[in-house]
């Protein structure tokens, strides 16, 4: 929860307000001036707590990622630990869909996010995946999680547009004689479940990695 307007300005408070502003107006509608107004200060005051806009966005990513629980599990296998983290990361992203482009295009570079990256790489190493392949493995897991979340929430949610009809509704409008395989699958597609699909894809990915 964001602090009240009269509370002292801190980095944490600035980051929380920035996250709220991005979720309200999207990245395209974000500005330091708007953020300052939300906090009841001049925009220049923000730079006492974040070096620049890039550092602010890095902090927003940090704020999101540290919300994904990655508990120590002494008896868990690397695969089990990464499975838990991927689901927790997905839950955080789904709760903040308009930050997805930011998370997808920004490397981790704050002490808190680099500490998490270090631990994830240690987990991958315990699965006997080392060298550049450890980076490939971790990037594959993170990339799948981000990409799948983007598909789940929809581009319209990310861009702040009104959502359109879902897949089966759209595809029913096209002639079955031209797309017989697709139309035959429509009853099954209507039963699509994003959680089961995520588990299916993650399991297939893990089987190829570990």
């Amino acid at each position: 929860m964001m602090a009240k307007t009269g509370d002292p300005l801190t980095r944490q408070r600035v980051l929380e307000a920035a996250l709220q502003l991005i979720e309200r107006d999207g990245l395209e509608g974000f500005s330091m001036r708007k953020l300052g107004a939300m906090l009841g200060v001049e925009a220049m005051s923000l730079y006492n707590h974040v070096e620049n806009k890039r550092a602010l966005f890095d902090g927003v990513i940090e704020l999101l990622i540290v919300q994904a629980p990655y508990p120590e599990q002494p008896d868990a296998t690397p695969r089990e630990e990464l499975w838990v983290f991927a689901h927790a990361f997905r839950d955080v992203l789904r709760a903040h869909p308009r930050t997805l482009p930011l998370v997808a295009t920004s490397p981790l570079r704050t002490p808190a996010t680099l500490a998490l990256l270090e631990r994830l790489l240690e987990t991958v190493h315990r699965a006997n995946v080392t060298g550049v392949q450890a980076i490939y493995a971790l990037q594959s897991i993170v990339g799948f999680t981000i990409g799948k979340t983007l598909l789940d929430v929809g581009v319209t949610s990310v861009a702040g547009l009104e959502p359109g009809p879902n897949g089966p509704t759209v595809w029913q409008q096209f002639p079955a004689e031209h797309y017989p395989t697709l139309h035959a699958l429509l009853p099954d597609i209507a039963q699509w479940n994003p959680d089961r699909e995520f588990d299916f894809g993650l399991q297939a990915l893990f089987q190829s990695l570990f």
Side-chain angles (χ1 to χ4, degrees):
M1 181 181 297
M2 192 175 71
K4 297 179 181 178
T5 303
D7 291 342
L9 206 59
T10 62
R11 178 177 181 271
Q12 180 73 13
R13 187 175 165 220
V14 170
L15 297 182
E16 290 173 353
L19 177 58
Q20 288 189 359
L21 183 57
I22 292 170
E23 286 300 314
R24 189 188 76 187
D25 296 349
L27 288 168
E28 67 283 359
F30 180 91
S31 72
M32 299 299 275
R33 179 186 57 79
K34 283 186 180 179
L35 180 58
M38 177 181 281
L39 289 164
V41 300
E42 293 294 330
M44 290 302 297
S45 299
L46 302 174
Y47 296 108
N48 293 321
H49 305 279
V50 290
E51 182 179 356
N52 50 40
K53 191 174 180 180
R54 177 68 267 170
L56 174 73
F57 284 165
D58 288 344
V60 169
I61 294 169
E62 173 188 308
L63 195 65
L64 291 174
I65 289 181
V66 298
Q67 293 180 34
Y70 190 21
E72 294 284 351
Q73 298 176 302
D75 298 326
T77 65
R79 181 169 173 167
E80 289 169 340
E81 286 189 9
L82 292 168
W83 181 273
V84 169
F85 174 76
H87 281 80
F89 185 40
R90 175 176 176 250
D91 288 343
V92 170
L93 295 178
R94 291 182 73 176
H96 303 282
R98 301 185 81 175
T99 63
L100 272 167
L102 187 61
V103 176
T105 57
S106 303
L108 303 181
R109 48 190 161 200
T110 70
T113 55
L114 288 174
L116 176 61
L117 176 59
E118 175 74 11
R119 186 176 165 207
L120 286 167
L121 286 172
E122 289 173 353
T123 303
V124 172
H125 281 174
R126 286 197 293 109
N128 296 318
V129 180
T130 58
V132 71
Q133 290 188 344
I135 297 292
Y136 294 161
L138 191 53
Q139 290 280 60
S140 296
I141 295 168
V142 171
F144 171 74
T145 303
I146 293 173
K148 185 63 184 65
T149 306
L150 179 60
L151 289 174
D152 289 349
V153 303
V155 175
T156 54
S157 295
V158 172
L161 304 174
E162 289 295 325
N166 61 23
T169 303
V170 173
W171 295 329
Q172 285 171 352
Q173 302 171 11
F174 297 95
E177 59 269 23
H178 291 171
Y179 312 101
T181 306
L182 177 60
H183 271 259
L185 280 173
L186 286 180
D188 294 318
I189 295 173
Q191 301 174 36
W192 169 81
N193 180 283
D195 296 330
R196 293 197 199 102
E197 185 175 80
F198 183 73
D199 286 354
F200 178 91
L202 194 61
Q203 185 175 33
L205 183 60
F206 278 17
Q207 285 175 344
S208 67
L209 292 174
F210 309 121

